[in-house]
Amino acid sequence: MAHIEKNKTALLTRIKKIRGQTNALEKALEQEPDCIAILQQVAAIRGAVNGLMNKILEDHIRLHIGQADMSDQQRADENEALILILKSYLKIS
């Protein structure tokens, strides 16, 4: 996936921020937790993960599914794989 390699540094930076947020959440839970602070941290983590997913998904659609030289079968296979991933991510059936 060329788009992953091209954006690897930026993606890894996002992941490191997410790791920092999850570590902060763990520490907050180990102490006497303030519910609002915990909820804010969970919301921040969710937003960060969604941002990561959006970036990778957008690049994938543009660079893989949008390729002009794909056969109809290749495009159908890519679409089906992406639909399965999105259903899993969104927890829908």
Side-chain angles (χ1 to χ4, degrees):
M1 298 180 106
H3 63 92
I4 296 287
E5 193 62 39
K6 177 181 155 193
N7 296 313
K8 186 184 268 187
T9 301
L11 294 174
L12 288 172
T13 298
R14 285 178 182 248
I15 291 168
K16 288 175 185 175
K17 287 179 182 179
I18 293 167
R19 183 180 307 124
Q21 290 171 317
T22 57
N23 288 342
L25 176 60
E26 181 180 5
K27 287 178 186 174
L29 287 170
E30 288 172 345
Q31 298 168 359
E32 295 200 24
D34 170 21
C35 291
I36 294 298
I38 298 297
L39 290 169
Q40 288 173 330
Q41 193 63 36
V42 171
I45 293 167
R46 182 177 182 192
V49 170
N50 284 342
L52 177 65
M53 180 66 155
N54 289 341
K55 178 61 179 153
I56 296 171
L57 180 60
E58 179 181 343
D59 288 349
H60 180 80
I61 290 169
R62 290 183 192 280
L63 297 171
H64 290 280
I65 296 175
Q67 289 180 352
D69 62 345
M70 291 178 79
S71 71
D72 288 343
Q73 185 60 51
Q74 288 173 315
R75 192 172 316 282
D77 291 345
E78 283 285 332
N79 285 337
E80 199 55 41
L82 189 55
I83 288 167
L84 290 174
I85 292 293
L86 288 173
K87 283 182 176 182
S88 172
Y89 184 72
L90 299 171
K91 299 291 186 212
I92 58 176
S93 55

